[in-house]
Amino acid sequence: MTKIRIAIQKSGRLNKDSLEILKNCGVSIDNGKDQLKASARNFPMEVFYLRNGDIPQYLRDGVVDIAIIGENVLIEKGGDIDIAEKLGFSKCRVSLAVPKEVEYNSVQDFQGKRIATSYPNTVKEYFKGKGVEADLHIINGSVEIAPNIGLADGICDIVSSGSTLFKNNLREVEVMLKSEAVLAVSQKISEERKTILSKLQFRIKSVLQARQSKYVLLNAPNDSLESILKLLPGMRSPTVLPLAEEGWSSVHTVINKDKFWEVIDELKLVGAEGILVCPIEKMVL
């Protein structure tokens, strides 16, 4: 039986989030501690647990068919690899930072300076576009310490909350790019495995759509129903059902979580009552 081969990060936050989305897609994986390869019980899939930086080459060589990987890693090491889906989790940015006490005006301040980074290709491309030349020190690991020990004048690294920079007396001065987890696809994937990928993508899209949405139920006086319906989106249109109490209806719809509070406030102003909000597990469009 043909199985699609997926690579995910061996350890770390991306590992946890990757396994979580596969679980939400109904894929049950049998894997033990320190296991580097595992199979799914209920889906034609093999999982390879790999170092994040090695995944682009495995995709390029066709050793794995797909991977869940940070977009920043692909930009640095796999610019020729296709992205099938942006996954919306493990968001971060690749930024330039300098010691807090250093005055900073613009990216031109990095001219001729020493920059410690694990992302040399990304930095070179960014500086090239800005007309800046700098001396890059490639470090695999914690680059934040480099300015403190006199190895560099600044750093380029991934930033999530910024707490690591703060602890090392650094401040973020330039955001070079924003990144999130993506589903990447090998150019050597077979047609048979593309069919399996389509099934997986369908499930992933259903999960991602559900994560971005809330199911809302509310009671509406019929004389305000028209105004309320104008405020409400829906997958096609809101569902309206009569209540036992004459003159009232129950309205059911789906709201994007980013617009949720704005819509709820407006609904209350036009007479909506008894508003219930429920999470959505899956959304099949």
Side-chain angles (χ1 to χ4, degrees), residues 110-141:
F110 286 103
Q111 178 68 34
K113 298 295 177 64
R114 300 166 300 165
I115 309 299
T117 185
S118 301
Y119 298 90
N121 294 328
T122 303
V123 177
K124 286 176 185 176
E125 193 64 27
Y126 184 78
F127 280 168
K128 182 180 178 181
K130 301 291 184 179
V132 173
E133 293 185 5
D135 181 16
L136 301 187
H137 291 254
I138 302 172
I139 298 177
N140 294 316

Side-chain angles (χ1 to χ4, degrees), residues 56 87 125 151 157 175 182 187 191 202 216-217 241 248 252 257 269:
L87 302 176
E125 193 64 27
L151 180 63
D157 202 10
V175 177
V182 298
Q187 293 184 359
E191 291 300 320
F202 175 78
V216 177
L217 303 86
L241 301 170
W248 286 80
H252 301 220
K257 70 174 187 178
L269 288 174

Side-chain angles (χ1 to χ4, degrees), residues 14-26:
L14 191 53
N15 168 273
K16 180 181 177 181
D17 290 342
S18 299
L19 291 174
E20 180 69 18
I21 195 168
L22 291 177
K23 180 181 178 182
N24 291 340
C25 289

Side-chain angles (χ1 to χ4, degrees), residues 38-90:
S39 294
R41 289 198 302 272
N42 55 353
F43 193 81
M45 174 184 287
E46 284 184 316
V47 182
F48 291 70
Y49 299 95
L50 304 172
R51 284 181 66 253
N52 214 31
D54 293 338
I55 291 176
Q57 192 59 49
Y58 277 77
L59 285 165
R60 196 174 285 113
D61 293 341
V63 176
V64 296
D65 306 299
I66 57 176
I68 297 176
I69 186 172
E71 187 177 7
N72 57 298
V73 179
L74 281 189
I75 291 171
E76 175 65 26
K77 296 187 174 183
D80 56 329
I81 296 170
D82 296 330
I83 294 175
E85 203 79 45
K86 292 197 173 187
L87 302 176
F89 57 81
S90 294

